[in-house]
């Protein structure tokens, strides 16, 4: 690790003020500049989170911060293609993939709560298999990057490029918040970025297998997530 990547630990007040200032400074900035700022400011107290739908943000981050940590949440319910994408990212990109797992295996959860909790209480299932492990996994970081985009759904339309994650008391960076799907597609094509093979099989947004279906013509990208269950987000970004 170079000295440039050893960052001091800051108080929540300092972090909040950094987030607010950067939110103003970087609203119109290029994604690479946003990531360069995050890497330079937080070093390895900054990480990228990835659902392994594609590796766009991890790829961007590795260009300005080789060896950047990429955090992946393995819920135990992923499609094999998603795990394969994680393994490929780890093998070919200059990043360190960190896989977080829930406290309980699927079998242990089934024994305690009954099978198919995702059908009966998806909020609880997401809390146990996504929100809690991410909470714990992000403890060593001051700032995290996501691939959230404003054009993905109405719930994401106001995603800040740099914002304050009040719940976790961390800086939250969404360097491609202003990108469109066309921008993403162009970057993937130009740079040969790894993508989840399900993206070319009718899936526009990829989460856990029991809670993800293909999207229909005219639906927004996230319409295939928890379809028919009145749920649009897993709680990671609430
Ligand atoms: S997306 Fe579905 S299976 Fe995955 S954690 Fe949430 S409810 Fe459970």
């Amino acid at each position: 690790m170079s000295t440039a990547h050893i960052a001091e630990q800051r108080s929540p007040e300092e972090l909040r003020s950094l987030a607010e200032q950067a939110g103003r400074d970087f609203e119109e900035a290029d994604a690479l500049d946003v990531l360069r700022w995050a890497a330079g400011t937080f070093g390895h107290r900054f990480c990228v989170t990835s659902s392994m739908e594609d590796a766009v943000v991890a790829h961007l981050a590795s260009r300005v911060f080789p060896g950047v940590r990429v955090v992946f949440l393995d819920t135990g319910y992923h499609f094999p293609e998603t795990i394969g994408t994680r393994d490929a990212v780890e093998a070919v990109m200059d990043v360190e993939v960190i896989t977080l797992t829930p406290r309980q295996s699927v079998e242990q959860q089934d024994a305690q709560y009954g099978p198919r909790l995702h059908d009966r209480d998806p909020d609880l299932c997401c809390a146990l298999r996504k929100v809690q492990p991410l909470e714990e996994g992000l403890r060593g970081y001051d700032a995290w990057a996501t691939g959230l985009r404003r054009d993905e759904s109405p719930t994401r339309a106001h995603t800040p490029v740099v914002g304050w994650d009040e719940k976790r008391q961390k800086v939250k960076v969404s360097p491609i918040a202003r990108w469109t799907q066309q921008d993403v597609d162009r970057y993937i094509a130009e740079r040969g970025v790894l993508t989840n093979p399900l993206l070319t099989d009718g899936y526009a947004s990829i989460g856990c297998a029991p809670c993800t279906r293909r999207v229909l013509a005219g639906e927004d990208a996230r319409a295939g997530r928890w379809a028919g269950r009145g749920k649009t987000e897993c709680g990671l970004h609430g």
Side-chain angles (χ1 to χ4, degrees):
M1 188 193 308
S2 77
T3 49
H5 294 147
I6 299 172
E8 57 187 295
Q9 206 162 346
R10 298 179 170 91
S11 68
E13 293 70 34
E14 285 176 276
L15 292 174
R16 180 200 294 266
S17 139
L18 272 170
E20 288 170 355
Q21 184 61 47
R24 291 188 287 273
D25 294 347
F26 289 101
E27 169 59 25
E28 303 287 329
D30 183 85
L32 284 176
D33 290 335
V34 178
L35 288 161
R36 200 174 284 115
W37 167 79
T41 307
F42 303 107
H44 277 302
R45 295 188 66 77
F46 165 70
C47 66
V48 171
T49 54
S50 176
S51 65
M52 298 300 164
E53 188 171 293
D54 61 54
V56 169
V57 177
H59 188 276
L60 285 161
S62 73
R63 288 172 60 194
V64 297
F65 189 5
V68 63
R69 291 173 182 156
V70 175
V71 172
F72 169 68
L73 256 175
D74 185 355
T75 63
Y77 277 120
H78 283 302
F79 293 99
E81 290 87 345
T82 302
I83 301 300
T85 305
R86 186 268 320 262
D87 293 346
V89 164
E90 192 163 39
V92 307
M93 288 176 56
D94 192 356
V95 300
E96 180 186 354
V97 173
I98 295 175
T99 297
L100 306 178
T101 52
R103 289 184 191 168
Q104 291 185 314
S105 66
V106 169
E107 294 71 27
Q108 288 168 331
Q109 179 173 295
D110 286 355
Q112 182 171 350
Y113 297 94
R116 303 188 69 81
L117 183 62
H118 44 76
D119 287 347
R120 293 175 287 110
D121 191 346
D123 286 342
L124 177 58
C125 187
C126 279
L128 295 169
R129 309 205 74 73
K130 289 187 168 183
V131 179
Q132 188 179 67
L134 189 73
E135 222 61 64
E136 294 170 358
L138 286 183
R139 265 184 205 144
Y141 299 96
D142 289 334
W144 60 303
T146 79
L148 296 182
R149 294 198 331 267
R150 294 173 187 169
D151 75 341
E152 288 179 293
S153 68
T155 56
R156 297 186 171 184
H158 303 290
T159 300
V161 173
V162 181
W164 176 240
D165 179 351
E166 179 68 37
K167 191 160 102 187
R168 300 183 184 85
Q169 303 278 290
K170 296 183 195 306
V171 179
K172 186 170 173 181
V173 182
S174 299
I176 61 167
R178 294 185 303 112
W179 285 27
T180 62
Q181 184 62 52
Q182 288 72 25
D183 295 329
V184 172
D185 294 344
R186 191 179 318 117
Y187 187 83
I188 288 169
E190 284 175 3
R191 297 271 169 179
V193 178
L194 280 164
T195 57
N196 193 312
L198 295 176
L199 288 177
T200 53
D201 189 20
Y203 293 86
S205 173
I206 301 161
C208 296
C211 302
T212 306
R213 67 151 170 78
R214 292 177 175 85
V215 289
L216 308 173
E219 287 185 331
D220 78 44
R222 290 183 60 81
R225 305 288 296 277
W226 304 283
R229 296 184 211 175
K231 178 175 166 73
T232 55
E233 295 282 348
C234 51
L236 297 181
H237 303 295

